Amino acid sequence: MTLQFVTAWGSVRFRGVHRLVKAEPTLLLHEGRLLHEAMRRQRVTPDEVRQAIRAQGTGALELVHAVVLETDGSFSVVSRSQYGSGSAMDGVP
């Protein structure tokens, strides 16, 4: 419990600690193409990405604009038709 408190306190007060402990969302698929290097870094398989796409009711990678691995471990699937201005993708490297 003390370690958690110290980590939270340090991440609020020091940018370096914040970067060290804060996860970032990761783009795993962009415009229908799997980003294998990003998937390797995050230890995600192509089958897991395809499963997330199927779970959203989409049957083809080409219909998906982006798949993002969120900081909580969930996948967000953004179809081409729902992409709009893309403002929700700000901050996703």
Side-chain angles (χ1 to χ4, degrees):
M1 193 165 75
T2 302
L3 182 58
Q4 183 179 5
F5 173 78
V6 169
T7 303
W9 180 84
S11 70
V12 169
R13 286 167 179 70
F14 303 104
R15 184 175 215 144
V17 174
H18 179 76
R19 279 192 230 134
L20 183 64
V21 299
K22 176 81 167 111
E24 289 184 337
T26 303
L27 188 63
L28 301 176
L29 180 138
H30 184 254
E31 295 183 356
R33 294 180 148 186
L34 293 168
L35 303 176
H36 293 284
E37 181 59 29
M39 290 174 19
R40 186 187 62 74
R41 281 193 317 270
Q42 297 299 325
R43 295 180 295 282
V44 173
T45 66
D47 289 339
E48 291 173 308
V49 175
R50 287 185 182 97
Q51 187 276 327
I53 292 168
R54 289 191 305 270
Q56 293 296 315
T58 303
L61 295 180
E62 306 83 50
L63 299 176
V64 177
H65 184 80
V67 175
V68 177
L69 177 62
E70 300 293 352
T71 59
D72 65 358
S74 65
F75 293 97
S76 294
V77 179
V78 180
S79 69
R80 289 184 185 272
S81 64
Q82 295 175 330
Y83 185 69
S85 69
S87 60
M89 298 296 290
D90 288 349
V92 179

